Amino acid sequence: MERRFKQQPTFQKSYRDFRLKYEHLGHMTKASSTSGNKKEPTCFLTHHGVIKESSTTTKLQVVFNGSQQGMRGASLNNHLFTGPNLLPALIDVLLRWRTHRYALVADIEKMCRQLNTVTYGLACALYLAIRTLRQQANDKGISHPLAASALLHDIYVDDILTGAPTLSETKESLWLRELEWDTPLASSDTQCWRAFEEELHLLDQVRVPRWLYMTSAKDTVEIHGFADASERAYAAVVYLRVNKPTDSPSVSLVVAKAKVVPLKQVSLPRLELCASALLVKLTAYTQAVLQHHNARVHFWTDSIVALEWIQGHPSRWRT
């Protein structure tokens, strides 16, 4: 590090400014000498700087390494509890974000720094940071209910995705044939991939509105799910229909999921049944995330065989 400072004076100045600011904010204090004091365990937290030229704000990123092993083969992170995973599923946060007419996006600055106790690079940093935010939400929930709700439900790491109602298919043939990554493709597969590549630019024309058009408690919500299957894959998609008392209804794509068929050959009707099962799970997930447990649910499939199986007695089903 000292050698790099001599070779790059600008880097040295940026590093010095970072340390001074870190100390000024109260995130660290100068330690007293520990020589001869063997009563308390001591750990030296190594760090290094990374220059990110593409950054428009802070080009120098100082990285703390809590996993650096000492002379005895142990690191600081070896002695720290990581805590439970408090992060929600990212798709949950994104789906809830789409329910707001007006979107709000925020970033929590210096989230993983806590005064003289923990910093990023430590195994417990993320847990403690999120736990602190949740405690803040609980403490201020009465006086700031909207902010507390956002901290509890609309945050992923240090990003907040919330809002308010007002202004105040990759191809599967290669996998099925079990080809290695460097195996030359057959001419038919080559043509297929080239056609796929030529159509990729059309994705720029696909637009999915973020807002789900829910505005008031008087709106009635219907959930419509569609399931379908082919010899290569099966899929399910969920739509939300919002019926408004004084306006025409709106329909929005909420979520979709696809799965490739197993290598073992399966009949098409059975794949249609798999698609229906996938749809039920996807719909239940959507209801839970959007909290529309009382919404009317409609399932749609064009497979008569799958419908007869579903309506038949379970004793007739083969597993």
Side-chain angles (χ1 to χ4, degrees):
M1 182 71 76
E2 294 295 336
R3 187 185 304 114
R4 187 176 181 183
F5 283 163
K6 293 179 180 180
Q7 295 174 350
Q8 302 177 22
T10 304
F11 174 77
Q12 181 185 21
K13 182 180 182 303
S14 298
Y15 216 101
R16 178 179 177 274
D17 292 344
F18 166 82
R19 289 185 295 180
L20 290 175
K21 183 178 181 180
Y22 207 102
E23 185 175 3
H24 175 73
L25 292 172
H27 296 162
M28 71 176 182
T29 56
K30 187 175 181 179
S32 59
S33 176
T34 59
S35 59
N37 185 3
K38 298 183 179 180
K39 294 182 179 180
E40 296 182 359
T42 302
C43 177
F44 292 91
L45 186 61
T46 62
H47 51 85
H48 62 276
V50 177
I51 298 296
K52 190 176 182 180
E53 296 293 346
S54 60
S55 176
T56 58
T57 54
T58 306
K59 296 186 180 298
L60 172 66
Q61 301 289 338
V62 177
V63 180
F64 293 92
N65 187 8
S67 297
Q68 177 68 47
Q69 295 181 347
M71 297 178 61
R72 298 182 179 180
S75 67
L76 177 58
N77 281 340
N78 292 142
H79 298 281
L80 296 175
F81 291 108
T82 59
N85 182 11
L86 299 181
L87 283 177
L90 179 57
I91 189 174
D92 293 5
V93 178
L94 292 175
L95 278 181
R96 282 191 288 265
W97 186 51
R98 294 184 62 196
T99 64
H100 303 292
R101 182 174 185 177
Y102 297 99
L104 298 174
V105 180
D107 177 81
I108 302 177
E109 188 179 9
K110 302 176 179 63
M111 174 175 168
C112 287
R113 295 190 199 172
Q114 298 178 36
L115 306 182
N116 275 331
T117 55
V118 68
T119 187
Y120 49 90
L122 301 185
C124 57
L126 185 57
Y127 164 75
L128 290 175
I130 297 178
R131 181 63 183 85
T132 300
L133 290 176
R134 292 192 174 187
Q135 188 62 49
Q136 286 288 328
N138 292 330
D139 293 344
K140 305 296 182 180
I142 297 178
S143 58
H144 299 81
L146 296 180
S149 178
L151 289 179
L152 290 173
H153 306 293
D154 301 337
I155 188 171
Y156 191 82
V157 190
D158 59 349
D159 294 319
I160 298 177
L161 298 174
T162 186
T166 62
L167 285 178
S168 49
E169 166 178 320
T170 298
K171 304 296 181 179
E172 297 90 17
S173 59
L174 305 183
W175 177 70
L176 291 172
R177 298 186 187 188
E178 299 181 329
L179 297 180
E180 297 294 337
W181 69 272
D182 56 350
T183 302
L185 296 178
S187 58
S188 58
D189 287 328
T190 302
Q191 294 175 1
C192 184
W193 272 104
R194 286 177 177 172
F196 175 72
E197 183 181 15
E198 291 173 356
E199 295 176 354
L200 276 177
H201 71 279
L202 298 177
L203 289 176
D204 292 337
Q205 303 175 19
V206 177
R207 295 291 184 270
V208 178
R210 182 199 59 81
W211 184 36
L212 296 177
Y213 297 96
M214 294 184 292
T215 55
S216 70
K218 296 181 180 180
D219 297 342
T220 59
V221 176
E222 299 177 13
I223 296 177
H224 292 259
F226 297 81
D228 203 359
S230 70
E231 296 177 349
R232 294 180 178 270
Y234 59 92
V237 60
V238 175
Y239 289 88
L240 200 70
R241 175 188 170 107
V242 179
N243 302 306
K244 302 177 180 297
T246 59
D247 201 354
S248 58
S250 62
V251 179
S252 302
L253 169 65
V254 179
V255 64
K257 190 171 185 178
K259 290 189 174 184
V260 295
V261 301
L263 289 176
K264 181 180 178 181
Q265 188 173 4
V266 181
S267 67
L268 186 57
R270 191 173 184 87
L271 291 174
E272 294 278 8
L273 187 62
C274 291
S276 299
L278 177 63
L279 175 59
V280 172
K281 295 178 181 178
L282 197 61
T283 301
Y285 163 79
T286 302
Q287 287 182 289
V289 173
L290 299 182
Q291 298 183 356
H292 286 313
H293 302 284
N294 297 323
R296 295 182 60 185
V297 178
H298 305 265
F299 294 124
W300 303 86
T301 178
D302 60 356
S303 174
I304 302 299
V305 177
L307 281 174
E308 290 182 351
W309 285 349
I310 294 172
Q311 296 171 357
H313 195 274
S315 62
R316 298 172 54 191
W317 298 351
R318 292 189 303 170
T319 59

